[in-house]
Amino acid sequence: MELKEIAHIKTGFSQKFGIPRQSGLADEIGYIVFTKEFRNPTYIEGITDYDYLWLLWGFSKNKPLEGGTVRPPRLGGEKHMGVFATRAPYRPNNIGMSSVKLIEVKDTESEGMVLVVSGVDMLDGTPIYDIKPYIPYADAHPDAKGGFTDSLSKGNQVQVDFPEEFLNKLPKDLRQSAIQVLSQDPRAGYDRGKSRDFKMAYHGFDIVFVASENGLVVTDIISNSKI
């Protein structure tokens, strides 16, 4: 089967480090831009009747999977688990799946109808292969077991100390989502306990932070703007 790219998504993540590990963990905005073949409005007729969408997309920067097990970063990168028992990005077929909230449909002159969504967990430029509506009665199972992730719920966040002098260097519409992203602790499990600077590329800025006893502390904001 040959997959056809129907769109790509524009996000504020130019590097893998810092991308939320699941969709919906931060109010990150993304812009789904269709390829010319799929810019006819008939392809999205009725889409605004839904609040959420499923995106099927490609891990475009990953190495091929070797063997049948992976080492989930949230488990410290030491414990092996079967790839099909995890959502690790290294898969036999590099296909990802995300549930995102549909904010609006924008009619643009250069790119046609663009879907504005929030809760994205994808690298900037990620190819999208399909879009399906999220249907609550069939897709939601709130009482289901979540394996090892039951102890890593959305509420399992770290405290973020983001000094105002640095926070004010970010545009106002990015400040809250930046805190949300950091509160998920982008470090891999095997980086916990290391005393060093971490740098997260975020919407044209580098957010520099260190670990503390209480969580994470932002120590600098560096603009990557060439203007």
Side-chain angles (χ1 to χ4, degrees):
M1 180 179 69
E2 181 178 345
L3 291 176
K4 179 179 293 187
E5 181 178 337
I6 65 165
H8 71 273
I9 190 165
K10 295 181 179 179
T11 76
F13 299 107
S14 58
Q15 298 176 4
K16 290 191 292 184
F17 181 71
I19 296 178
R21 291 179 174 84
Q22 303 293 337
S23 56
L25 295 182
D27 298 328
E28 276 296 315
I29 299 296
Y31 302 87
I32 298 174
V33 179
F34 291 94
T35 62
K36 290 183 179 180
E37 180 180 355
F38 296 98
R39 287 184 184 175
N40 190 314
T42 58
Y43 283 103
I44 58 171
E45 185 175 343
I47 202 167
T48 56
D49 292 337
Y50 300 93
D51 285 332
Y52 289 86
L53 304 172
W54 286 111
L55 305 181
L56 298 177
W57 48 275
F59 287 102
S60 53
K61 301 296 184 181
N62 278 357
K63 298 178 181 178
L65 174 70
E66 296 181 0
T69 63
V70 293
R71 295 183 294 176
R74 277 303 201 196
L75 294 179
E78 299 297 332
K79 184 176 180 180
H80 287 261
M81 296 190 70
V83 62
F84 298 134
T86 76
R87 291 196 180 186
Y90 302 103
R91 327 281 316 166
N93 295 298
N94 284 325
I95 296 175
M97 180 176 68
S98 298
S99 174
V100 297
K101 185 174 183 178
L102 179 61
I103 303 299
E104 64 173 321
V105 178
K106 296 184 69 172
D107 188 1
T108 70
E109 183 175 344
S110 60
E111 298 174 323
M113 296 292 187
V114 173
L115 305 185
V116 183
V117 297
S118 83
V120 300
D121 58 344
M122 288 161 277
L123 192 70
D124 184 48
T126 291
I128 296 176
Y129 299 125
D130 202 5
I131 299 172
K132 301 178 187 293
Y134 177 96
I135 302 174
Y137 83 86
D139 295 347
H141 304 281
D143 297 324
K145 293 190 298 182
F148 75 88
T149 66
D150 280 340
S151 62
L152 304 172
S153 65
K154 184 176 180 179
N156 188 20
Q157 301 175 340
V158 299
Q159 182 177 327
V160 178
D161 182 357
F162 209 135
E164 189 172 352
E165 63 177 301
F166 300 130
L167 189 62
N168 288 341
K169 291 185 178 182
L170 294 177
K172 286 185 178 180
D173 61 337
L174 296 180
R175 294 173 189 174
Q176 184 60 36
S177 56
I179 294 173
Q180 291 176 337
V181 170
L182 288 170
S183 72
Q184 300 300 320
D185 197 347
R187 299 174 301 159
Y190 46 77
D191 277 330
R192 307 293 169 80
K194 293 183 178 178
S195 179
R196 67 176 180 86
D197 288 344
F198 293 87
K199 185 183 294 185
M200 183 180 78
Y202 185 75
H203 290 271
F205 296 87
D206 283 336
I207 300 179
V208 184
F209 63 92
V210 297
S212 70
E213 291 183 2
N214 298 322
L216 304 179
V217 180
V218 176
T219 59
D220 201 3
I221 298 289
I222 304 170
S223 174
N224 291 323
S225 174
K226 298 180 180 179
I227 298 177

